[in-house]
Amino acid sequence: MSNSIVAQVPKNLLFRYRIGCREVKGKFGARFQLDESYRVPHFGSFEKQNEFADVRVGWNTEGLYFDVTISGKKQSLWCRQSELLESDGVQFWIDTRDTHNIHRATKFCHWFVCLPVGGGPQNTSPVATMLKINRSQEDSPTINRNSMELHAKTTPDGYRLIAFISGKSLHGWNSEDHRHLGFNYAVQDREFGWQTLAVGPELPIREDPSLWQTLSLR
């Protein structure tokens, strides 16, 4: 694995990780994919989490790219656009200022939810949306901008989901001047439970940026 990893110990005695994120060449589309060198380490294993998802992240000046594969499932997917936070799917949190000394999100913090299915009249279309972060000091002004692209394919034992979050959806996005991003992800599955980047849902990871890690653009 070529991602660089630096462990830091903040004042609250939790480990914080800085993860190297490689630049992406080419354009996003249905056949887009990130190779093994973009894979994000799973620090949730230190919390005794099961690793059932392969999560990969890349970037370029246009925005952030995600490639997530879930495998080994025996149960059917359960996804509903009307119940985003109860569905099988993937969540991403991004802070374009990488601020870790606060416990309430700022206007630079963003929360995205992606479902492989669950949308459309037959609940078969993928779903991607941005949500307001609870207790935030100020909502991101990009909350109502629909600049996220998503493709998903179900498999006999899971699904693969690829997503592109445009810089237009990320308030404060400036990959030249701000090379470090606050970052967290969670894969939620009714069969397997949760897989997160580091600490799990026993802590308020959905709303507290001090619990997120650092993505270092290189």
Side-chain angles (χ1 to χ4, degrees):
M1 185 180 300
S2 62
N3 277 329
S4 60
I5 305 165
V6 178
Q8 301 172 318
V9 184
K11 293 181 180 179
N12 61 7
L13 300 181
L14 293 174
F15 280 101
R16 182 172 298 129
Y17 300 96
R18 186 168 70 236
I19 305 160
C21 182
R22 297 183 62 230
E23 188 171 0
V24 172
K25 307 295 183 183
K27 295 183 179 181
F28 184 78
R31 296 186 178 182
F32 176 85
Q33 85 178 52
L34 297 175
D35 65 35
E36 176 70 24
S37 64
Y38 292 89
R39 187 172 184 178
V40 176
H42 177 227
F43 302 113
S45 59
F46 296 122
E47 303 292 322
K48 299 183 179 179
Q49 290 182 17
N50 213 7
E51 184 175 9
F52 56 88
D54 179 318
V55 180
R56 305 179 185 194
V57 184
W59 75 280
N60 60 27
T61 56
E62 298 299 316
L64 293 171
Y65 300 78
F66 300 90
D67 190 338
V68 182
T69 302
I70 285 76
S71 59
K73 286 181 62 59
K74 296 180 180 178
Q75 299 177 12
S76 300
L77 288 170
W78 194 93
C79 303
R80 298 291 185 275
Q81 188 167 4
S82 59
E83 298 184 65
L84 292 170
L85 301 184
E86 303 301 323
S87 296
D88 296 337
V90 186
Q91 302 174 49
F92 301 108
W93 293 268
I94 300 159
D95 176 5
T96 56
R97 289 299 177 270
D98 191 33
T99 304
H100 296 287
N101 60 354
I102 56 175
H103 296 283
R104 294 176 61 191
T106 69
K107 63 183 178 181
F108 300 105
C109 297
H110 312 77
W111 178 18
F112 299 91
V113 178
C114 304
L115 309 182
V117 293
Q122 304 298 321
N123 291 329
T124 55
S125 300
V127 177
T129 191
M130 180 176 170
L131 300 180
K132 290 186 177 183
I133 298 177
N134 185 40
R135 299 179 59 251
S136 61
Q137 298 177 23
E138 185 179 357
D139 292 331
S140 169
T142 61
I143 188 72
N144 293 317
R145 296 185 190 173
N146 187 16
S147 297
M148 186 175 183
E149 297 181 54
L150 177 67
H151 297 279
K153 181 179 180 180
T154 59
T155 63
D157 68 341
Y159 62 91
R160 179 167 175 255
L161 179 152
I162 55 173
F164 169 63
I165 301 178
S166 168
K168 296 178 182 179
S169 290
L170 299 169
H171 180 64
W173 173 259
N174 185 331
S175 56
E176 292 186 5
D177 296 335
H178 297 280
R179 307 285 286 189
H180 294 166
L181 306 175
F183 174 67
N184 195 26
Y185 80 79
V187 183
Q188 183 173 328
D189 187 272
R190 288 193 166 202
E191 180 180 355
F192 292 136
W194 283 63
Q195 177 181 319
T196 63
L197 178 56
V199 297
E202 66 278 1
L203 294 176
I205 58 174
R206 285 175 168 165
E207 60 187 50
D208 187 346
S210 73
L211 299 173
W212 304 351
Q213 313 307 312
T214 295
L215 204 61
S216 182
L217 310 183
R218 55 179 188 168

